[in-house]
Amino acid sequence: MPLAKELRDSFENRALLYWHIYDELETELGPERAERTPDAVADRFLAASPDQGRLFPTEIVRRDGEVHIKVTSCPLKDAWAEADLHAQDLAAICRIAGRFDNGLFGACGIRFAADTWQPGGTGCCHLHLRP
């Protein structure tokens, strides 16, 4: 299969994942709450994680209506590290890839911030979802 087709298929799958998350939330919470509930958004996001969460293992902290997700391993970061990217280049590409999360969670109508991997850091990124 040509690379362009694989890439397009990947993004189409991602688009369907977004829709599935929103559709489930809307059914359970109604359209207004579906767009602004960090806990529910996090639950749906984590429930749809590839390979029952094994592809992107996480540690979750919930407090005061906020959800903080620490991604402990990421196949993207692993591939870049295996390709021997310099630490600053690895941090830059993680930051760029993390912008995807801004779109995903921002579209849900909640406050979102991501701390992507930095040299000397452990794991991958830390996602912060707030009302």
Side-chain angles (χ1 to χ4, degrees), residues 1-11:
M1 179 181 318
L3 180 58
K5 171 114 174 73
E6 289 179 18
L7 183 60
R8 180 166 185 78
D9 288 350
S10 174
F11 278 95

Side-chain angles (χ1 to χ4, degrees), residues 77-86:
K77 180 179 167 270
D78 293 346
W80 296 323
E82 289 173 19
D84 289 327
L85 267 65
H86 183 275

